[in-house]
């Protein structure tokens, strides 16, 4: 299937209230042509509302949406030419797989022969050849999802919206479908906006991620940017895991109860520490060494969890509980053991106040 | 947007036809009843009310109506609760079939079912003959034309109304709750009393409210099966209109009956409304507290735990008896239709087609049949046409007063038809339309509307709107979405709504009695006159024909669904 190149989606100052609830608060973001963008955020953060506004099912209170540079606010949803994959797929149960796929082509008055050809092509695209005559209730969850994707793509939309399309699948199948979706995206070049509250899914699949919280856009960037340089404590806590340690007035400024050097721990682009700020440091940016190794913070192991190549260890140091990821190669830590905790240089970041987790 | 309302404008347009209809065919007529009740000799007066309150006979009638409705409700509860319990908890694999059988009496009219009871309970009827054959009695017992016959008939008619909501509530009870109760140390009876019973209360309340309110306005069954002098309110009203022509007294009685039912309906609406849309709001927690704190209750429960093993067999026997009771009138009607006797007797001496032949030769009956058929069809089509947008606006809109509108549209099902009939009579006489087919048409749209609204609002509540959004995103315009997705997916609900709307008109007797004239006589009225004058098996022929047609229609649908399911299971396994 030859796909027209994807188009840009520009969202400007989008706001939406439902009664007292502010679902969206002046959200602006631009998705580049052909880009795979993930909208990530906790439940109720407004992800679905953005998607519904783009698709035209929900009218925003203020703001504008442009697709390929064209304002679409006045365009009714059935004329927007946007593919949508719904969370529970919304396949038409009274039609076969082929009829589901042909639905959009019929609406566009495409001839029967051409329709049949494109249905076959779409089935091949999602590796479902030979399933055209099946009823949709005779498909497994993964197959239903492929059909839903094929149905949303068959009329060659420039933009594809997906609302948590993987949430109904089990873990194995989900990972498989994530890979397939990436391949499909590369093949087709359509712009994709994927809604998810699964950060692994967002980070592993998308070119860029927009992180939402309580209707506001908190940060937008590549997965690596969000991971390495979170804009605030919320992002730092939401993406990956983080320890937040309070900073005490100096001189010199230091972590409360610790003697170690603070400045050496900070990443180069981190803000300068002030009293009352917190240091965010990730579990994988610390090392747990035997207690006799000098230069570390003395600590005690409280609890451990085995995870294959790594061991997650909860330690207590100077009355802080800190999570550490330790490599398993040499040594497995046991609760009650003493240890010394070492911060890797240039990995910590300073944030004004602990954000909501 | 799809067919949903986008603006207040759109919503108003969707609600308007039904509101106009209700104004003309329901609220207006009720107003006419009130107005007539206040007029005597061309002047406004309360004379009619004064007359009613001054006569002890009316007090008797009111009391009799209330006690009858109360007793019928008690019987329906006592019979219906164990039955619903059996079907919902022990007969899960059969539940669909059993509930279809419970709903089956709705396929024959109340008139025809009451007629069957005459044959079953009468002097030469089935029960008396059986008892005499067994040597238990010498002379026939008087089982009909007294309050016993009246109770039997009313309970049979109203029992499904109790069982259906009870069953729905019981099916919603999560079986793991009962296991949790048992794991915490409750015996079978105490788990039942402390967990199951409180959780089934909303269904019980809904069923009891519906039965009681419906029983208050009953006319046909007590008139046919009850003692000649033991009037209930509806009969008293009918007599005032048709034989005494005391319109103001009839109107005043109607208005009092209406006010009583309407007030109870408003009072009980918390219990009734969940049936149609929302979750039950009746709170079970208080009942549980009462049940579990009372020491007596605990004693009873302990005794109950001992007796619990007996409950199973007893429930099954009870279930069989209830099904027999519910279905007997229909079996009897079919058998009578093939009777060779020149009068009503059961069991028939031998079988023949003579009464079918007689029916199809009788132009009076055939004309009435055609009239009923096309008037009810026209009304059902109209009801669906105006009820569908109305139901969409109610189910999809989010505006103040939607529950009240729902209740208003559904209320003609519960409020006494005798009052609605009287109001329509006054209205159509004033408009010079009485007896005209148009008057029947409007009346039956009003009585059919509740079924359409209940069925469609419930179906839309369950409907996944993403289906419509998907179609829209694929390029379908709103009407195309409706035609290609909404309509096919809700086809079964539309068919059900249509069927019930049609039957509400086709089976109507009470309203027809007021509206009938040489210009328009329905089949139900023909049957009524026949039953009152000679009781021939012709009425049974109508019942048998109606049952046959409906069973063929429903059977074909059910069968095709079943075959489709089977085929799918085959291919997927
Ligand atoms: N139709 C509606 N009526 C009222 N409130 C709504 C409606 N739709 C969304 N909301 C509210 O708007 C906020 C954002 O909702 P939205 O569905 O966009 O969240 P979400 O990020 O998709 O969450 P989830 O991950 O749970 O799907 C929530 O607080 C929600 O309760
Ligand atoms: Mg969502």
């Amino acid at each position: 299937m030859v796909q027209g190149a994807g188009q840009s989606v520009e969202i400007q100052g989008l706001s939406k209230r439902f009664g007292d609830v502010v679902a969206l608060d002046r959200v602006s973001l631009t998705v580049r042509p052909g880009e795979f963008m993930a909208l990530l955020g906790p439940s109720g953060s407004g992800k679905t509302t953005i998607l519904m506004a783009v698709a035209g099912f929900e009218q925003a209170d203020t703001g504008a949406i442009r697709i390929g540079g064209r304002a679409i606010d006045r365009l009714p949803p059935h004329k927007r030419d946007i593919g949508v994959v719904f969370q529970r797929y919304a396949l038409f149960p009274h039609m076969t797989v082929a009829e589901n796929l042909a639905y959009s082509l019929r609406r566009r008055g495409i001839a029967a022969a051409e329709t049949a050809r494109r249905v076959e092509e779409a089935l091949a695209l999602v590796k479902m050849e030979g399933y055209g005559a099946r009823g949709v209730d005779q498909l497994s969850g993964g197959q239903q999802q492929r059909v839903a994707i094929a149905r949303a793509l068959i009329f060659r939309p420039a933009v594809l919206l997906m609302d948590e399309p993987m949430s109904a699948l089990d873990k194995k199948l989900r990972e498989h479908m994530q890979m397939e979706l990436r391949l499909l995206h590369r093949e087709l070049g359509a712009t994709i906006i994927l809604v998810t509250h699964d950060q692994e899914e967002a980070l592993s699949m998308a070119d860029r991620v927009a992180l939402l919280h309580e209707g506001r856009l908190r940060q937008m960037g590549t997965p690596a940017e969000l991971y390495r340089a979170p804009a605030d404590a919320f992002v730092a806590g939401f993406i990956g895991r983080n320890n937040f340690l309070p900073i005490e007035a100096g001189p010199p400024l230091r972590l409360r109860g610790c003697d170690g050097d603070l400045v050496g721990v900070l990443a180069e682009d981190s803000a300068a520490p002030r009293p009352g700020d917190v240091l965010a440091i990730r579990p994988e940016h610390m090392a747990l060494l035997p207690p006799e190794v000098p230069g570390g913070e003395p600590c005690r192991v409280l609890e451990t969890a085995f995870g294959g190549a790594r061991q997650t260890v909860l330690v207590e140091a100077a009355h802080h509980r800190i999570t550490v990821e330790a490599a398993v190669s040499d040594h497995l830590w046991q609760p009650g053991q003493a240890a010394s905790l070492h911060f890797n240089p240039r990995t910590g970041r300073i944030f004004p106040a602990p954000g909501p987790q | 947007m799809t067919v949903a309302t986008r603006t207040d404008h759109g919503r108003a347009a969707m609600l308007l036809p039904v509101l106009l209809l209700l104004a003309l065919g329901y609220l207006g007529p009720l107003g006419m009843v009130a107005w007539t009740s206040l007029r005597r000799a061309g002047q406004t007066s309360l004379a009619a009310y004064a007359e009613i309150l001054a006569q002890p006979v009316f007090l008797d009638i009111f009391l009799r109506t209330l006690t009858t409705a109360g007793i019928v409700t008690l019987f329906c509860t006592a019979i219906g609760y164990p039955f619903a319990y059996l079907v919902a908890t022990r007969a899960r694999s059969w539940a669909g079939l059993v509930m279809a059988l419970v709903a089956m009496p709705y396929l024959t009219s109340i008139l025809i079912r009451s007629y069957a009871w005459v044959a079953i309970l009468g002097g030469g009827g089935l029960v008396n003959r059986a008892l005499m054959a067994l040597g238990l009695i010498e002379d026939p017992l008087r089982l009909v034309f007294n309050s016993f016959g009246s109770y039997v008939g009313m309970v049979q008619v109203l029992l499904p109304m109790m069982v259906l909501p009870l069953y729905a509530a019981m099916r919603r009870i999560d079986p793991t709750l009962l296991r949790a109760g048992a794991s915490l140390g409750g015996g079978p009876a105490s788990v039942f009393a402390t967990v199951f019973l409180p959780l089934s209360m909303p269904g019980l309340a809904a069923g009891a409210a519906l039965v009681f309110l419906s029983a208050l306005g009953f006319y046909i069954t007590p008139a046919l099966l009850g003692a000649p002098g033991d009037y209930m309110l509806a009969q008293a009203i009918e007599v005032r209109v048709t034989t005494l022509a005391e319109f103001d007294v009839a109107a005043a009685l109607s208005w009092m009956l209406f006010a009583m039912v309407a007030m109870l309906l408003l009072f009980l609406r918390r219990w009734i409304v969940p049936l149609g849309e929302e979750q039950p709001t009746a709170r079970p927690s208080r009942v549980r507290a009462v049940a579990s704190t009372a020491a007596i209750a605990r004693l009873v429960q302990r005794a109950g735990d001992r007796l619990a093993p007996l409950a199973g067999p007893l429930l099954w026997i009870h279930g069989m008896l209830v099904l027999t009771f519910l279905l007997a009138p229909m079996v009897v009607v079919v058998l009578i239709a093939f009777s060779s006797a020149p009068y009503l007797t059961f069991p028939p001496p031998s079988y023949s087609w003579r009464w079918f032949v007689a029916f199809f030769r009788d132009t009076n009956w055939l004309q009435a049949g055609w009239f009923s058929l096309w008037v009810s069809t026209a009304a059902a089509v109209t009801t669906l046409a105006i009820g569908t947008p109305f139901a969409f606006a109610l189910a999809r809109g989010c505006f103040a007063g939607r529950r009240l509108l729902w209740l208003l549209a559904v209320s003609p099902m519960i409020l006494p038809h005798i009052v609605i009939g009287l109001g329509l009579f006054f209205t159509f006489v004033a408009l010079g339309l009485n007896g005209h087919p148009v008057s029947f048409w409007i009346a039956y749209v009003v009585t059919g509307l509740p079924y359409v609204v209940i069925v469609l609002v419930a179906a839309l509540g369950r409907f996944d709107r993403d289906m419509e959004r998907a179609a829209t995103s694929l390029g379908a315009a709103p009407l195309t979405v409706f035609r290609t997705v909404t309509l096919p997916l809700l086809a079964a609900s539309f068919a059900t709504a249509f069927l019930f709307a049609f039957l509400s008109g086709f089976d109507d007797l009470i309203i027809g009695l007021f509206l009938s004239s040489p210009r328009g006589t329905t089949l139900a009225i023909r049957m009524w006159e026949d039953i009152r004058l000679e009781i021939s098996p012709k009425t049974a022929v109508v019942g048998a024909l109606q049952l046959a047609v409906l069973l063929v229609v429903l059977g074909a649908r059910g069968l095709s669904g079943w075959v489709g399911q089977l085929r799918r299971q085959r291919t997927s396994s």
Side-chain angles (χ1 to χ4, degrees):
Chain A
M1 185 180 330
V2 184
Q3 191 81 27
Q7 294 189 333
S8 65
V9 179
E10 295 159 66
I11 297 171
Q12 279 165 0
L14 209 61
S15 294
K16 173 80 184 173
R17 304 173 63 104
F18 293 104
D20 292 338
V21 181
V22 180
L24 290 180
D25 187 6
R26 288 160 292 162
V27 171
S28 299
L29 59 90
T30 301
V31 189
R32 299 179 195 128
E35 189 175 31
F36 194 140
M37 166 78 84
L39 297 184
L40 177 64
S43 189
S45 55
K47 309 177 297 282
T48 300
T49 310
I50 293 183
L51 222 58
M52 291 294 125
V54 174
F57 300 128
E58 206 77 79
Q59 200 81 34
D61 300 335
T62 64
I65 301 172
R66 304 163 79 79
I67 290 182
R70 214 157 51 98
I72 56 160
D73 305 80
R74 309 233 145 254
L75 215 54
H78 67 278
K79 297 218 174 113
R80 292 193 179 188
D81 278 342
I82 294 176
V84 183
V85 177
F86 292 85
Q87 184 161 0
R88 280 159 293 139
Y89 313 137
L91 296 176
F92 304 132
H94 56 303
M95 301 180 192
T96 63
V97 168
E99 285 166 345
N100 265 280
L101 294 181
Y103 189 89
S104 59
L105 304 181
R106 289 240 195 91
R107 306 281 85 77
R108 288 166 172 76
I110 290 171
E114 166 78 356
T115 299
R117 192 183 64 72
R118 279 169 69 173
V119 167
E120 285 308 314
E121 204 177 73
L123 284 171
L125 181 74
V126 294
K127 305 198 181 62
M128 293 274 296
E129 294 98 334
Y131 281 87
R134 288 253 188 136
V136 295
D137 52 349
Q138 299 169 302
L139 302 178
S140 71
Q143 291 170 334
Q144 287 185 10
Q145 199 207 29
R146 289 161 200 253
V147 175
I149 294 174
R151 185 180 71 173
L153 286 174
I154 196 169
F155 61 99
R156 297 168 190 168
V159 177
L160 178 65
L161 308 179
M162 309 179 93
D163 193 355
E164 312 213 9
M166 316 280 179
S167 62
L169 304 179
D170 61 50
K171 193 169 183 316
K172 271 253 149 58
L173 189 54
R174 186 160 61 224
E175 283 165 4
H176 178 69
M177 289 306 298
Q178 286 170 352
M179 199 53 80
E180 299 223 329
L181 189 56
R182 275 204 64 82
L183 284 174
L184 209 59
H185 174 241
R186 189 155 307 159
E187 216 172 299
L188 300 178
T191 307
I192 296 185
I193 303 181
L194 171 90
V195 159
T196 177
H197 58 240
D198 177 350
Q199 51 155 315
E200 272 177 45
E201 183 168 298
L203 298 182
S204 66
M205 293 180 72
D207 300 324
R208 283 195 304 158
V209 176
L211 184 60
L212 292 153
H213 179 54
E214 290 178 340
R216 293 220 195 97
L217 181 65
R218 302 300 282 255
Q219 188 171 1
M220 180 163 60
T222 64
E225 279 166 8
L226 260 66
Y227 183 80
R228 291 214 196 101
D232 57 27
F234 170 78
V235 180
F238 193 83
I239 304 284
R241 283 180 301 170
N242 238 322
N243 294 290
F244 292 97
L245 305 170
I247 288 169
E248 205 169 50
L253 283 174
R254 53 186 182 169
L255 294 177
R256 186 184 301 151
C258 303
D259 304 323
D261 165 42
L262 176 60
V263 177
V265 174
L266 296 187
E268 277 144 23
D269 55 343
S270 164
R274 288 164 311 166
D277 283 353
V278 292
L279 169 74
I281 184 149
R282 296 192 183 275
E284 56 272 33
H285 291 157
M286 286 176 280
L288 211 52
L289 298 174
E292 58 278 11
V293 178
E297 213 47 64
C299 65
R300 215 164 47 79
V301 175
L302 294 177
E303 195 51 82
T304 66
F306 179 69
R310 323 211 107 231
Q311 188 186 23
T312 306
V313 184
L314 181 67
V315 301
E316 190 173 50
H319 304 292
H320 305 301
R321 291 193 162 188
I322 302 174
T323 308
V324 185
E325 292 255 299
V328 159
S329 55
D330 41 351
H331 181 69
L332 273 181
W333 292 96
Q334 301 294 335
Q337 287 179 332
S340 105
L341 180 66
H342 296 256
F343 297 131
N344 297 357
R346 289 189 292 287
T347 50
R349 305 186 75 84
I350 297 295
F351 294 111
Q357 294 288 313
Chain B
M1 281 270 135
T2 51
V3 185
T5 46
R6 188 176 214 169
T7 60
D8 291 345
H9 249 74
R11 177 180 307 141
M14 293 168 82
L15 296 175
L16 197 64
V18 164
L19 294 179
L20 282 180
L21 168 88
L22 289 175
L24 175 68
Y26 186 51
L27 298 176
L30 290 177
M32 285 294 279
V33 174
W35 169 248
T36 311
S37 75
L38 295 170
R39 301 288 293 179
R40 174 166 289 186
Q43 291 189 326
T44 305
S45 85
L46 287 171
Y49 291 95
E51 198 174 303
I52 290 169
L53 294 177
Q55 288 187 32
V57 58
F58 286 116
L59 184 68
D60 282 350
I61 290 175
F62 269 97
L63 285 180
R64 188 177 303 121
T65 306
L66 284 171
T67 44
T68 305
I71 290 172
V72 167
T73 308
L74 280 182
F75 272 113
C76 283
T77 309
I79 298 173
Y81 194 93
F83 182 78
Y85 178 79
L86 172 77
V87 183
T89 62
R90 313 228 173 170
R92 286 198 163 228
S93 45
W94 295 84
L97 179 67
V98 175
M99 289 323 278
L101 289 178
V102 168
M104 213 156 100
Y106 284 123
L107 300 185
T108 41
S109 67
I110 297 179
L111 177 61
I112 292 173
R113 277 183 275 162
S114 304
Y115 160 90
W117 283 114
V118 176
I120 297 174
L121 300 175
L126 185 63
V127 174
N128 270 319
R129 284 201 192 192
L131 290 177
M132 283 194 283
L134 288 172
L136 292 174
I137 53 172
E138 307 248 304
D139 299 314
L141 295 173
R142 254 187 93 70
L143 298 174
V144 72
F145 309 128
N146 55 15
S147 39
F148 178 82
S150 173
Y151 288 145
V152 170
M154 287 175 79
V155 169
Q156 198 267 349
V157 170
L158 291 170
L159 192 54
M161 249 191 213
M162 171 62 85
V163 172
L164 293 172
L166 258 181
Y167 170 76
M170 289 177 179
R171 278 304 290 252
R172 277 199 296 268
I173 299 178
D174 185 350
T176 53
L177 287 177
L178 305 182
R179 274 179 234 140
S183 77
L184 296 171
S190 44
V191 169
F192 174 80
T194 55
V195 181
F196 193 89
L197 186 63
L199 289 176
S200 65
M201 278 321 265
L204 187 61
L210 284 175
V211 169
F212 186 76
L213 290 176
S214 308
L216 284 180
F218 248 50
Y219 173 74
I220 299 170
T221 315
L224 263 186
L225 303 176
D230 279 357
Y231 285 163
M232 282 179 62
L233 254 175
Q235 290 161 276
I237 295 167
E238 193 264 343
V239 168
R240 292 278 154 340
V241 177
T242 50
T243 49
L244 304 176
E246 292 176 7
F247 292 127
D248 56 344
V249 177
L253 278 174
S254 295
W255 189 247
M256 289 162 88
L257 174 62
F258 169 75
M260 188 161 73
V261 176
M263 264 157 46
L264 281 171
L265 180 63
L266 281 177
F267 182 66
L268 298 176
R269 73 171 186 279
R270 254 173 226 303
W271 289 343
I272 298 173
V273 170
L275 278 184
E277 31 170 9
E278 338 225 314
Q279 285 301 305
T281 45
R283 255 196 251 120
S285 53
R286 234 175 324 142
V287 186
R288 183 174 51 201
V290 173
S292 55
T293 50
I296 301 173
R298 229 172 280 153
L299 270 182
V300 173
Q301 281 166 26
R302 218 165 290 157
D305 287 342
R306 296 268 161 74
L307 295 175
L310 274 181
L314 285 179
L315 279 173
W316 281 104
I317 294 171
H318 175 77
M320 288 299 155
L321 288 176
V322 169
L323 278 185
T324 312
F325 173 64
L326 282 174
L327 299 178
M330 291 189 303
V331 176
V332 165
V333 159
V334 172
L335 292 178
I336 295 175
F338 290 97
S339 171
S340 62
Y343 49 85
L344 177 69
T345 174
F346 191 84
S350 65
Y351 295 93
S352 78
W353 289 96
R354 69 179 277 193
W355 288 104
F356 284 86
V357 174
F359 173 79
F360 283 109
R361 286 221 179 111
D362 190 328
T363 47
N364 270 339
W365 282 66
L366 284 182
Q367 259 169 14
W370 276 122
F371 182 79
S372 276
L373 209 57
W374 75 260
V375 159
S376 320
T377 306
V381 170
T382 313
T383 314
L384 214 52
I386 66 174
T388 302
F390 185 80
F392 268 85
L394 284 197
R396 301 252 164 111
C398 203
F399 53 98
R402 36 189 277 281
R403 297 179 82 180
L404 214 63
L405 273 186
W406 185 88
L407 199 64
L408 176 69
V410 165
S411 62
M413 185 179 86
I414 301 164
L415 294 175
H417 279 192
I418 191 110
V419 180
I420 302 174
L422 188 63
L424 286 168
F425 170 66
F426 291 148
T427 309
F428 290 136
V429 166
L431 294 175
L433 275 177
N434 208 44
H436 193 277
V438 166
S439 63
F440 287 91
W441 177 61
I442 293 175
Y444 295 157
V445 176
V446 170
T447 56
L449 185 66
Y451 299 98
V452 171
V453 170
I454 289 178
V455 171
L456 291 188
V457 167
L460 286 171
R462 290 190 302 265
F463 185 77
D464 182 3
R465 289 203 66 188
D466 277 353
M467 291 291 169
E468 290 175 347
R469 296 206 177 103
T472 307
S473 78
L474 294 170
L479 276 179
T480 314
V481 173
F482 184 76
R483 186 172 52 78
T484 59
V485 174
T486 318
L487 194 60
L489 287 179
L490 293 177
S493 300
F494 279 106
T496 308
F498 181 86
L499 179 69
F500 275 95
F502 171 83
L503 283 179
S504 79
F506 192 79
D507 287 346
D508 161 75
L509 169 67
I510 303 173
I511 296 177
L513 280 179
F514 288 108
L515 303 185
S516 76
S517 75
R519 282 195 283 179
T521 298
T522 63
L523 192 56
I525 293 170
R526 272 276 162 275
M527 293 193 276
W528 179 248
E529 286 168 352
D530 181 76
I531 293 172
R532 296 237 122 169
L533 297 179
E534 48 176 341
I535 302 213
S536 77
K538 259 189 214 160
T539 297
V541 169
V542 175
L545 285 174
Q546 184 177 338
L547 199 60
V549 170
L550 290 175
L551 283 183
V552 166
V553 171
L554 295 178
R557 275 183 45 96
L559 205 67
S560 69
W562 186 69
V563 169
Q565 225 172 26
L566 207 69
R567 209 189 49 208
R568 255 177 245 153
Q569 270 167 10
R570 282 258 178 76
T571 46
S572 61
S573 62

